[in-house]
Amino acid sequence: MRSFQMRKQCSILIFSLTLGMMLLSAQGWNSFAQAPAEGGRDNGRKLFAHGNEAYIKGDYDEAILYYQKAMDLDGYAPSLLYNLGNACYMKKAFGQAILNYERALYLDPGNTDIKANLAQAMKSAGLIMPSHPFWKTFFNRVTLNGWTWMAVIAFCAFSLMLLVNGIRPGMLGRPLPKMLVSVCAFFFLMAGGGIWVQYRNLDRGVVTGENARIRVSPFDSANDSGAVKSGNVVQIADTYEGYVLVKEANGKSGWISKNEVQAILPLNNEHQNRTSLTQSTLQKMNEGDTKSETNKS
């Protein structure tokens, strides 16, 4: 009976370990599959360099054009988004500047230069840089992918130690293995908190329209309840045809035109497939376009 229970326990642990390793392998394969072709990367670097040259000359329109072309080839990268944000800022397109800084900061959360320029852009746009509690700031220092990797590794290590204990009962009763199990559990729980915080960041957007009006309902004939400043970071709650339901930090909510707000985590497949940006529930924004076209026909 004891032997049967031990085999059952080992089978469960082996399954858990295999599942964790499959997740880890899937992450690695996904990163490999998403790598851009070498030729495209070289062309993207040349375009990026041309954009920098145009920026130094003060031709910001041309710089933006080069940066966008480089992004079409190589996908999103912190340095590219940062420079694109700088070019938009110099043109006083503060909404677009804040959008690109936010995207760059998502990919490189600890970059102080991006944070400083984001704060300056928000100040120039007449907005206040939001303050977060310490715990949220801590979890925002690592991307969603980073916290996911931590959770998978902690789970695999924990499963491995349980498997060893199933083969050699009493192993986890020793001080060192017991401490390692506690460390794995701690990192797993911490990664879970980070995933939760970062998951809530997936549905954020930036208002890029210069004269965006908030409407009480998603219809052209609906009354508006005020204006929202360009560059304002909002939470995207829902979509309906050509409108998006947004919630501001002050709790005010309403519908604005889909053309006047852009998701911080974009869903453009050409870019999405080559970056660590994660697809979120903002897919509804794309689905809304499809429904709208269907209704028109």
Side-chain angles (χ1 to χ4, degrees), residues 22-86:
M22 287 173 64
L23 289 172
L24 195 62
S25 299
Q27 287 269 4
W29 172 253
N30 191 47
S31 299
F32 173 77
Q34 291 176 359
E38 189 66 33
R41 187 185 296 118
D42 290 341
N43 291 333
R45 287 172 181 169
K46 291 177 182 177
L47 290 169
F48 182 66
H50 289 320
N52 292 340
E53 293 172 2
Y55 182 89
I56 293 172
K57 294 176 182 177
D59 191 345
Y60 304 118
D61 287 321
E62 186 177 1
I64 291 172
L65 184 61
Y66 277 122
Y67 292 145
Q68 289 175 339
K69 286 182 178 179
M71 198 156 51
D72 289 337
L73 287 175
D74 282 353
Y76 293 97
S79 58
L80 179 56
L81 291 165
Y82 175 72
N83 285 19
L84 180 56
N86 289 341

Short mmCIF file of all heavy atoms in Angstrom, two decimals, residues 22-86:
data_model
loop_
_atom_site.label_atom_id
_atom_site.label_comp_id
_atom_site.label_asym_id
_atom_site.label_seq_id
_atom_site.Cartn_x
_atom_site.Cartn_y
_atom_site.Cartn_z
N MET A 22 7.54 22.11 -19.86
CA MET A 22 6.90 22.41 -21.14
C MET A 22 6.61 23.91 -21.26
O MET A 22 6.81 24.52 -22.31
CB MET A 22 5.58 21.63 -21.27
CG MET A 22 5.79 20.14 -21.53
SD MET A 22 4.24 19.22 -21.50
CE MET A 22 3.40 19.94 -22.89
N LEU A 23 6.16 24.51 -20.15
CA LEU A 23 5.92 25.94 -20.14
C LEU A 23 7.21 26.71 -20.38
O LEU A 23 7.26 27.68 -21.13
CB LEU A 23 5.29 26.37 -18.81
CG LEU A 23 3.85 25.93 -18.58
CD1 LEU A 23 3.43 26.24 -17.14
CD2 LEU A 23 2.90 26.61 -19.56
N LEU A 24 8.28 26.26 -19.73
CA LEU A 24 9.58 26.91 -19.88
C LEU A 24 10.08 26.78 -21.31
O LEU A 24 10.58 27.75 -21.90
CB LEU A 24 10.58 26.27 -18.90
CG LEU A 24 11.89 27.03 -18.65
CD1 LEU A 24 11.60 28.39 -18.03
CD2 LEU A 24 12.79 26.22 -17.74
N SER A 25 9.92 25.60 -21.89
CA SER A 25 10.36 25.39 -23.27
C SER A 25 9.53 26.23 -24.24
O SER A 25 10.06 26.77 -25.22
CB SER A 25 10.24 23.91 -23.64
OG SER A 25 11.04 23.12 -22.79
N ALA A 26 8.23 26.32 -23.95
CA ALA A 26 7.36 27.12 -24.83
C ALA A 26 7.77 28.58 -24.82
O ALA A 26 7.77 29.24 -25.85
CB ALA A 26 5.91 26.97 -24.37
N GLN A 27 8.15 29.09 -23.64
CA GLN A 27 8.60 30.47 -23.55
C GLN A 27 9.86 30.66 -24.39
O GLN A 27 10.01 31.64 -25.11
CB GLN A 27 8.90 30.83 -22.09
CG GLN A 27 7.65 31.01 -21.24
CD GLN A 27 7.17 32.43 -21.24
OE1 GLN A 27 7.71 33.29 -21.93
NE2 GLN A 27 6.12 32.69 -20.49
N GLY A 28 10.79 29.71 -24.27
CA GLY A 28 12.04 29.83 -25.02
C GLY A 28 11.82 29.73 -26.52
O GLY A 28 12.39 30.49 -27.29
N TRP A 29 10.96 28.81 -26.94
CA TRP A 29 10.68 28.66 -28.36
C TRP A 29 9.96 29.88 -28.90
O TRP A 29 10.23 30.32 -30.02
CB TRP A 29 9.83 27.42 -28.59
CG TRP A 29 9.35 27.31 -30.01
CD1 TRP A 29 8.10 27.53 -30.48
CD2 TRP A 29 10.16 27.00 -31.16
NE1 TRP A 29 8.05 27.36 -31.84
CE2 TRP A 29 9.31 27.03 -32.28
CE3 TRP A 29 11.50 26.68 -31.34
CZ2 TRP A 29 9.76 26.76 -33.56
CZ3 TRP A 29 11.94 26.42 -32.61
CH2 TRP A 29 11.09 26.46 -33.69
N ASN A 30 9.06 30.44 -28.10
CA ASN A 30 8.33 31.63 -28.53
C ASN A 30 9.28 32.79 -28.77
O ASN A 30 9.17 33.52 -29.74
CB ASN A 30 7.30 32.01 -27.46
CG ASN A 30 6.34 33.06 -27.94
OD1 ASN A 30 5.81 32.97 -29.03
ND2 ASN A 30 6.11 34.07 -27.12
N SER A 31 10.27 32.94 -27.87
CA SER A 31 11.26 34.01 -28.03
C SER A 31 12.10 33.79 -29.28
O SER A 31 12.41 34.71 -30.02
CB SER A 31 12.17 34.08 -26.80
OG SER A 31 11.41 34.36 -25.65
N PHE A 32 12.46 32.51 -29.52
CA PHE A 32 13.27 32.20 -30.69
C PHE A 32 12.48 32.46 -31.97
O PHE A 32 12.98 33.03 -32.93
CB PHE A 32 13.71 30.74 -30.63
CG PHE A 32 14.41 30.26 -31.88
CD1 PHE A 32 15.74 30.60 -32.11
CD2 PHE A 32 13.75 29.48 -32.81
CE1 PHE A 32 16.38 30.17 -33.26
CE2 PHE A 32 14.39 29.05 -33.95
CZ PHE A 32 15.71 29.39 -34.17
N ALA A 33 11.20 32.03 -31.97
CA ALA A 33 10.38 32.16 -33.17
C ALA A 33 10.08 33.61 -33.50
O ALA A 33 9.87 33.97 -34.64
CB ALA A 33 9.07 31.39 -32.99
N GLN A 34 10.09 34.48 -32.46
CA GLN A 34 9.73 35.86 -32.67
C GLN A 34 10.92 36.73 -33.06
O GLN A 34 10.77 37.92 -33.30
CB GLN A 34 9.09 36.44 -31.39
CG GLN A 34 7.72 35.84 -31.12
CD GLN A 34 7.15 36.34 -29.82
OE1 GLN A 34 7.78 37.12 -29.10
NE2 GLN A 34 5.96 35.91 -29.49
N ALA A 35 12.12 36.16 -33.10
CA ALA A 35 13.28 36.94 -33.45
C ALA A 35 13.22 37.37 -34.91
O ALA A 35 12.93 36.57 -35.79
CB ALA A 35 14.55 36.12 -33.21
N PRO A 36 13.47 38.64 -35.21
CA PRO A 36 13.41 39.09 -36.60
C PRO A 36 14.55 38.54 -37.42
O PRO A 36 15.60 38.16 -36.90
CB PRO A 36 13.51 40.61 -36.46
CG PRO A 36 14.22 40.83 -35.17
CD PRO A 36 13.81 39.71 -34.27
N ALA A 37 14.37 38.49 -38.71
CA ALA A 37 15.42 38.01 -39.60
C ALA A 37 16.61 38.94 -39.55
O ALA A 37 16.49 40.13 -39.31
CB ALA A 37 14.87 37.92 -41.03
N GLU A 38 17.80 38.38 -39.79
CA GLU A 38 19.03 39.16 -39.69
C GLU A 38 19.04 40.32 -40.67
O GLU A 38 19.44 41.42 -40.35
CB GLU A 38 20.23 38.24 -39.94
CG GLU A 38 21.58 38.90 -39.64
CD GLU A 38 21.73 39.21 -38.17
OE1 GLU A 38 21.21 38.45 -37.34
OE2 GLU A 38 22.38 40.23 -37.85
N GLY A 39 18.56 40.07 -41.90
CA GLY A 39 18.53 41.14 -42.89
C GLY A 39 17.61 42.26 -42.48
O GLY A 39 17.93 43.44 -42.62
N GLY A 40 16.43 41.90 -41.94
CA GLY A 40 15.50 42.91 -41.48
C GLY A 40 16.06 43.71 -40.34
O GLY A 40 15.85 44.92 -40.24
N ARG A 41 16.81 43.04 -39.45
CA ARG A 41 17.41 43.73 -38.31
C ARG A 41 18.44 44.74 -38.78
O ARG A 41 18.51 45.86 -38.28
CB ARG A 41 18.04 42.72 -37.36
CG ARG A 41 18.55 43.36 -36.06
CD ARG A 41 19.27 42.37 -35.18
NE ARG A 41 18.42 41.31 -34.72
CZ ARG A 41 18.60 40.03 -35.00
NH1 ARG A 41 19.60 39.66 -35.79
NH2 ARG A 41 17.79 39.11 -34.55
N ASP A 42 19.26 44.36 -39.77
CA ASP A 42 20.28 45.28 -40.30
C ASP A 42 19.62 46.49 -40.96
O ASP A 42 20.06 47.62 -40.77
CB ASP A 42 21.17 44.55 -41.31
CG ASP A 42 22.07 43.52 -40.64
OD1 ASP A 42 22.27 43.64 -39.42
OD2 ASP A 42 22.56 42.62 -41.33
N ASN A 43 18.57 46.26 -41.73
CA ASN A 43 17.87 47.37 -42.37
C ASN A 43 17.22 48.27 -41.33
O ASN A 43 17.21 49.50 -41.48
CB ASN A 43 16.81 46.83 -43.33
CG ASN A 43 17.42 46.15 -44.55
OD1 ASN A 43 18.53 46.48 -44.94
ND2 ASN A 43 16.70 45.20 -45.13
N GLY A 44 16.69 47.65 -40.28
CA GLY A 44 16.09 48.44 -39.21
C GLY A 44 17.10 49.32 -38.52
O GLY A 44 16.81 50.47 -38.18
N ARG A 45 18.31 48.81 -38.33
CA ARG A 45 19.37 49.60 -37.69
C ARG A 45 19.77 50.78 -38.57
O ARG A 45 20.03 51.88 -38.06
CB ARG A 45 20.59 48.71 -37.43
CG ARG A 45 20.39 47.73 -36.28
CD ARG A 45 21.54 46.76 -36.18
NE ARG A 45 21.36 45.80 -35.11
CZ ARG A 45 22.10 44.73 -34.94
NH1 ARG A 45 23.09 44.47 -35.81
NH2 ARG A 45 21.87 43.91 -33.94
N LYS A 46 19.80 50.56 -39.87
CA LYS A 46 20.14 51.66 -40.78
C LYS A 46 19.08 52.74 -40.74
O LYS A 46 19.38 53.95 -40.70
CB LYS A 46 20.30 51.13 -42.21
CG LYS A 46 21.52 50.23 -42.42
CD LYS A 46 21.57 49.70 -43.84
CE LYS A 46 22.77 48.77 -44.03
NZ LYS A 46 22.79 48.19 -45.40
N LEU A 47 17.82 52.33 -40.73
CA LEU A 47 16.73 53.29 -40.65
C LEU A 47 16.77 54.05 -39.33
O LEU A 47 16.50 55.26 -39.27
CB LEU A 47 15.38 52.57 -40.82
CG LEU A 47 15.09 52.03 -42.21
CD1 LEU A 47 13.87 51.10 -42.17
CD2 LEU A 47 14.85 53.16 -43.20
N PHE A 48 17.09 53.33 -38.27
CA PHE A 48 17.20 53.95 -36.95
C PHE A 48 18.31 55.00 -36.95
O PHE A 48 18.15 56.11 -36.41
CB PHE A 48 17.48 52.87 -35.90
CG PHE A 48 17.57 53.39 -34.49
CD1 PHE A 48 16.47 53.94 -33.86
CD2 PHE A 48 18.77 53.32 -33.78
CE1 PHE A 48 16.55 54.40 -32.55
CE2 PHE A 48 18.87 53.78 -32.49
CZ PHE A 48 17.75 54.32 -31.88
N ALA A 49 19.43 54.66 -37.58
CA ALA A 49 20.55 55.60 -37.66
C ALA A 49 20.17 56.83 -38.49
O ALA A 49 20.50 57.97 -38.13
CB ALA A 49 21.77 54.91 -38.26
N HIS A 50 19.47 56.62 -39.60
CA HIS A 50 19.01 57.74 -40.42
C HIS A 50 18.05 58.64 -39.63
O HIS A 50 18.07 59.86 -39.75
CB HIS A 50 18.31 57.23 -41.69
CG HIS A 50 19.24 56.61 -42.69
ND1 HIS A 50 20.49 57.13 -42.96
CD2 HIS A 50 19.10 55.51 -43.48
CE1 HIS A 50 21.09 56.38 -43.88
NE2 HIS A 50 20.27 55.39 -44.21
N GLY A 51 17.21 57.99 -38.82
CA GLY A 51 16.30 58.76 -37.98
C GLY A 51 17.04 59.62 -36.98
O GLY A 51 16.67 60.78 -36.75
N ASN A 52 18.11 59.07 -36.41
CA ASN A 52 18.92 59.84 -35.45
C ASN A 52 19.59 61.03 -36.14
O ASN A 52 19.69 62.13 -35.57
CB ASN A 52 19.97 58.94 -34.81
CG ASN A 52 19.36 57.90 -33.89
OD1 ASN A 52 18.22 58.06 -33.43
ND2 ASN A 52 20.09 56.84 -33.61
N GLU A 53 20.06 60.81 -37.36
CA GLU A 53 20.69 61.90 -38.11
C GLU A 53 19.69 63.01 -38.40
O GLU A 53 20.00 64.21 -38.26
CB GLU A 53 21.27 61.36 -39.42
CG GLU A 53 22.45 60.42 -39.24
CD GLU A 53 22.87 59.75 -40.54
OE1 GLU A 53 22.26 60.08 -41.59
OE2 GLU A 53 23.80 58.92 -40.52
N ALA A 54 18.48 62.62 -38.80
CA ALA A 54 17.44 63.62 -39.07
C ALA A 54 17.06 64.36 -37.80
O ALA A 54 16.81 65.58 -37.82
CB ALA A 54 16.21 62.94 -39.68
N TYR A 55 17.03 63.66 -36.68
CA TYR A 55 16.69 64.28 -35.40
C TYR A 55 17.72 65.33 -35.02
O TYR A 55 17.39 66.44 -34.57
CB TYR A 55 16.60 63.21 -34.31
CG TYR A 55 16.21 63.75 -32.95
CD1 TYR A 55 14.87 63.84 -32.58
CD2 TYR A 55 17.18 64.16 -32.04
CE1 TYR A 55 14.51 64.34 -31.35
CE2 TYR A 55 16.83 64.67 -30.80
CZ TYR A 55 15.48 64.75 -30.46
OH TYR A 55 15.14 65.26 -29.23
N ILE A 56 19.00 64.99 -35.20
CA ILE A 56 20.08 65.94 -34.87
C ILE A 56 19.98 67.19 -35.74
O ILE A 56 20.24 68.31 -35.28
CB ILE A 56 21.45 65.25 -35.06
CG1 ILE A 56 21.62 64.14 -34.00
CG2 ILE A 56 22.58 66.25 -34.94
CD1 ILE A 56 22.85 63.28 -34.21
N LYS A 57 19.57 67.02 -36.99
CA LYS A 57 19.42 68.17 -37.89
C LYS A 57 18.18 69.01 -37.58
O LYS A 57 18.01 70.09 -38.13
CB LYS A 57 19.34 67.68 -39.35
CG LYS A 57 20.63 67.03 -39.85
CD LYS A 57 20.42 66.50 -41.26
CE LYS A 57 21.67 65.80 -41.78
NZ LYS A 57 21.45 65.21 -43.14
N GLY A 58 17.31 68.46 -36.74
CA GLY A 58 16.09 69.19 -36.40
C GLY A 58 14.93 68.89 -37.32
O GLY A 58 13.87 69.52 -37.23
N ASP A 59 15.09 67.90 -38.21
CA ASP A 59 14.00 67.50 -39.11
C ASP A 59 13.22 66.38 -38.41
O ASP A 59 13.42 65.19 -38.68
CB ASP A 59 14.57 67.03 -40.44
CG ASP A 59 13.49 66.86 -41.51
OD1 ASP A 59 12.30 66.84 -41.13
OD2 ASP A 59 13.84 66.75 -42.69
N TYR A 60 12.32 66.75 -37.52
CA TYR A 60 11.64 65.78 -36.68
C TYR A 60 10.61 64.95 -37.45
O TYR A 60 10.39 63.78 -37.13
CB TYR A 60 10.98 66.50 -35.50
CG TYR A 60 11.98 67.31 -34.70
CD1 TYR A 60 11.84 68.69 -34.58
CD2 TYR A 60 13.07 66.69 -34.10
CE1 TYR A 60 12.78 69.43 -33.86
CE2 TYR A 60 14.00 67.42 -33.39
CZ TYR A 60 13.86 68.80 -33.27
OH TYR A 60 14.78 69.53 -32.58
N ASP A 61 10.00 65.55 -38.47
CA ASP A 61 9.06 64.78 -39.29
C ASP A 61 9.76 63.62 -39.99
O ASP A 61 9.26 62.50 -40.04
CB ASP A 61 8.40 65.69 -40.33
CG ASP A 61 7.38 66.64 -39.71
OD1 ASP A 61 6.66 66.20 -38.80
OD2 ASP A 61 7.33 67.81 -40.11
N GLU A 62 10.93 63.91 -40.56
CA GLU A 62 11.69 62.86 -41.24
C GLU A 62 12.19 61.82 -40.24
O GLU A 62 12.18 60.61 -40.52
CB GLU A 62 12.87 63.47 -41.99
CG GLU A 62 13.62 62.45 -42.85
CD GLU A 62 14.75 63.08 -43.65
OE1 GLU A 62 14.96 64.31 -43.53
OE2 GLU A 62 15.43 62.34 -44.40
N ALA A 63 12.60 62.28 -39.05
CA ALA A 63 13.06 61.35 -38.01
C ALA A 63 11.94 60.39 -37.61
O ALA A 63 12.15 59.18 -37.50
CB ALA A 63 13.55 62.13 -36.79
N ILE A 64 10.74 60.93 -37.43
CA ILE A 64 9.59 60.09 -37.08
C ILE A 64 9.31 59.06 -38.16
O ILE A 64 9.04 57.89 -37.89
CB ILE A 64 8.35 60.97 -36.82
CG1 ILE A 64 8.55 61.78 -35.54
CG2 ILE A 64 7.09 60.12 -36.73
CD1 ILE A 64 7.47 62.81 -35.29
N LEU A 65 9.43 59.49 -39.41
CA LEU A 65 9.19 58.58 -40.54
C LEU A 65 10.18 57.43 -40.53
O LEU A 65 9.81 56.26 -40.70
CB LEU A 65 9.28 59.36 -41.85
CG LEU A 65 8.95 58.59 -43.13
CD1 LEU A 65 7.52 58.07 -43.09
CD2 LEU A 65 9.19 59.45 -44.35
N TYR A 66 11.46 57.74 -40.31
CA TYR A 66 12.49 56.69 -40.27
C TYR A 66 12.27 55.75 -39.08
O TYR A 66 12.41 54.52 -39.22
CB TYR A 66 13.88 57.31 -40.18
CG TYR A 66 14.45 57.74 -41.52
CD1 TYR A 66 14.83 59.06 -41.74
CD2 TYR A 66 14.63 56.82 -42.55
CE1 TYR A 66 15.36 59.46 -42.97
CE2 TYR A 66 15.16 57.20 -43.77
CZ TYR A 66 15.53 58.53 -43.98
OH TYR A 66 16.04 58.90 -45.19
N TYR A 67 11.94 56.31 -37.92
CA TYR A 67 11.73 55.48 -36.73
C TYR A 67 10.55 54.53 -36.94
O TYR A 67 10.61 53.36 -36.55
CB TYR A 67 11.47 56.36 -35.50
CG TYR A 67 12.67 57.16 -35.04
CD1 TYR A 67 12.51 58.43 -34.49
CD2 TYR A 67 13.96 56.63 -35.12
CE1 TYR A 67 13.61 59.18 -34.07
CE2 TYR A 67 15.06 57.36 -34.70
CZ TYR A 67 14.88 58.63 -34.17
OH TYR A 67 15.97 59.36 -33.74
N GLN A 68 9.49 55.03 -37.56
CA GLN A 68 8.32 54.18 -37.80
C GLN A 68 8.63 53.07 -38.79
O GLN A 68 8.16 51.94 -38.65
CB GLN A 68 7.16 55.04 -38.29
CG GLN A 68 6.57 55.93 -37.20
CD GLN A 68 5.50 56.86 -37.71
OE1 GLN A 68 5.43 57.16 -38.91
NE2 GLN A 68 4.65 57.34 -36.81
N LYS A 69 9.45 53.38 -39.82
CA LYS A 69 9.84 52.35 -40.77
C LYS A 69 10.73 51.30 -40.10
O LYS A 69 10.61 50.10 -40.38
CB LYS A 69 10.59 52.98 -41.95
CG LYS A 69 9.69 53.75 -42.91
CD LYS A 69 10.49 54.31 -44.09
CE LYS A 69 9.59 55.03 -45.08
NZ LYS A 69 10.37 55.59 -46.21
N ALA A 70 11.62 51.75 -39.22
CA ALA A 70 12.46 50.80 -38.49
C ALA A 70 11.60 49.91 -37.59
O ALA A 70 11.88 48.71 -37.44
CB ALA A 70 13.48 51.58 -37.64
N MET A 71 10.56 50.48 -37.01
CA MET A 71 9.66 49.72 -36.15
C MET A 71 8.89 48.69 -36.96
O MET A 71 8.62 47.59 -36.47
CB MET A 71 8.70 50.68 -35.46
CG MET A 71 8.02 50.10 -34.24
SD MET A 71 7.46 51.39 -33.09
CE MET A 71 6.56 52.48 -34.20
N ASP A 72 8.54 49.02 -38.20
CA ASP A 72 7.85 48.06 -39.06
C ASP A 72 8.71 46.83 -39.35
O ASP A 72 8.19 45.73 -39.53
CB ASP A 72 7.44 48.73 -40.38
CG ASP A 72 6.32 49.73 -40.20
OD1 ASP A 72 5.58 49.62 -39.20
OD2 ASP A 72 6.20 50.66 -41.04
N LEU A 73 10.03 47.03 -39.38
CA LEU A 73 10.94 45.92 -39.67
C LEU A 73 11.35 45.15 -38.42
O LEU A 73 11.32 43.92 -38.40
CB LEU A 73 12.21 46.46 -40.37
CG LEU A 73 12.05 46.91 -41.82
CD1 LEU A 73 13.35 47.53 -42.32
CD2 LEU A 73 11.65 45.74 -42.72
N ASP A 74 11.73 45.87 -37.36
CA ASP A 74 12.30 45.22 -36.19
C ASP A 74 11.33 45.08 -35.03
O ASP A 74 11.64 44.42 -34.04
CB ASP A 74 13.53 46.01 -35.69
CG ASP A 74 14.76 45.73 -36.54
OD1 ASP A 74 14.67 44.84 -37.40
OD2 ASP A 74 15.78 46.39 -36.34
N GLY A 75 10.17 45.71 -35.10
CA GLY A 75 9.26 45.68 -33.97
C GLY A 75 9.62 46.72 -32.93
O GLY A 75 10.50 47.56 -33.15
N TYR A 76 8.97 46.66 -31.80
CA TYR A 76 9.18 47.66 -30.75
C TYR A 76 10.44 47.36 -29.95
O TYR A 76 10.72 46.22 -29.62
CB TYR A 76 7.98 47.69 -29.81
CG TYR A 76 6.72 48.21 -30.46
CD1 TYR A 76 5.78 47.30 -30.96
CD2 TYR A 76 6.47 49.56 -30.59
CE1 TYR A 76 4.63 47.76 -31.57
CE2 TYR A 76 5.32 50.02 -31.20
CZ TYR A 76 4.40 49.11 -31.69
OH TYR A 76 3.27 49.57 -32.29
N ALA A 77 11.17 48.40 -29.65
CA ALA A 77 12.36 48.31 -28.81
C ALA A 77 12.42 49.58 -27.97
O ALA A 77 12.00 50.65 -28.42
CB ALA A 77 13.62 48.19 -29.67
N PRO A 78 12.90 49.50 -26.72
CA PRO A 78 12.91 50.67 -25.84
C PRO A 78 13.62 51.88 -26.43
O PRO A 78 13.09 53.00 -26.37
CB PRO A 78 13.62 50.16 -24.58
CG PRO A 78 13.39 48.69 -24.58
CD PRO A 78 13.37 48.29 -26.02
N SER A 79 14.80 51.68 -27.03
CA SER A 79 15.55 52.81 -27.58
C SER A 79 14.83 53.45 -28.75
O SER A 79 14.82 54.68 -28.89
CB SER A 79 16.95 52.34 -28.01
OG SER A 79 16.86 51.30 -28.97
N LEU A 80 14.21 52.63 -29.59
CA LEU A 80 13.47 53.14 -30.74
C LEU A 80 12.25 53.94 -30.30
O LEU A 80 12.00 55.05 -30.79
CB LEU A 80 13.06 51.98 -31.64
CG LEU A 80 12.26 52.30 -32.90
CD1 LEU A 80 12.99 53.32 -33.77
CD2 LEU A 80 11.99 51.03 -33.69
N LEU A 81 11.49 53.40 -29.35
CA LEU A 81 10.31 54.10 -28.84
C LEU A 81 10.69 55.37 -28.10
O LEU A 81 10.00 56.39 -28.17
CB LEU A 81 9.52 53.16 -27.92
CG LEU A 81 8.83 51.98 -28.60
CD1 LEU A 81 8.41 50.94 -27.58
CD2 LEU A 81 7.62 52.46 -29.39
N TYR A 82 11.82 55.32 -27.39
CA TYR A 82 12.30 56.49 -26.66
C TYR A 82 12.64 57.63 -27.62
O TYR A 82 12.23 58.79 -27.42
CB TYR A 82 13.53 56.08 -25.84
CG TYR A 82 14.22 57.21 -25.11
CD1 TYR A 82 13.65 57.80 -24.00
CD2 TYR A 82 15.48 57.66 -25.53
CE1 TYR A 82 14.29 58.83 -23.32
CE2 TYR A 82 16.12 58.69 -24.86
CZ TYR A 82 15.52 59.27 -23.75
OH TYR A 82 16.15 60.28 -23.09
N ASN A 83 13.38 57.32 -28.67
CA ASN A 83 13.75 58.35 -29.66
C ASN A 83 12.53 58.85 -30.41
O ASN A 83 12.42 60.04 -30.74
CB ASN A 83 14.79 57.81 -30.63
CG ASN A 83 16.17 57.72 -30.02
OD1 ASN A 83 16.30 57.73 -28.79
ND2 ASN A 83 17.19 57.62 -30.83
N LEU A 84 11.59 57.95 -30.71
CA LEU A 84 10.36 58.36 -31.38
C LEU A 84 9.56 59.30 -30.47
O LEU A 84 9.00 60.30 -30.93
CB LEU A 84 9.52 57.12 -31.73
CG LEU A 84 8.19 57.36 -32.44
CD1 LEU A 84 8.39 58.15 -33.73
CD2 LEU A 84 7.49 56.03 -32.72
N GLY A 85 9.53 58.99 -29.19
CA GLY A 85 8.88 59.88 -28.23
C GLY A 85 9.55 61.24 -28.18
O GLY A 85 8.87 62.28 -28.10
N ASN A 86 10.87 61.27 -28.23
CA ASN A 86 11.60 62.54 -28.21
C ASN A 86 11.26 63.40 -29.44
O ASN A 86 11.06 64.62 -29.34
CB ASN A 86 13.11 62.29 -28.18
CG ASN A 86 13.57 61.73 -26.85
OD1 ASN A 86 12.88 61.84 -25.85
ND2 ASN A 86 14.74 61.11 -26.84
#
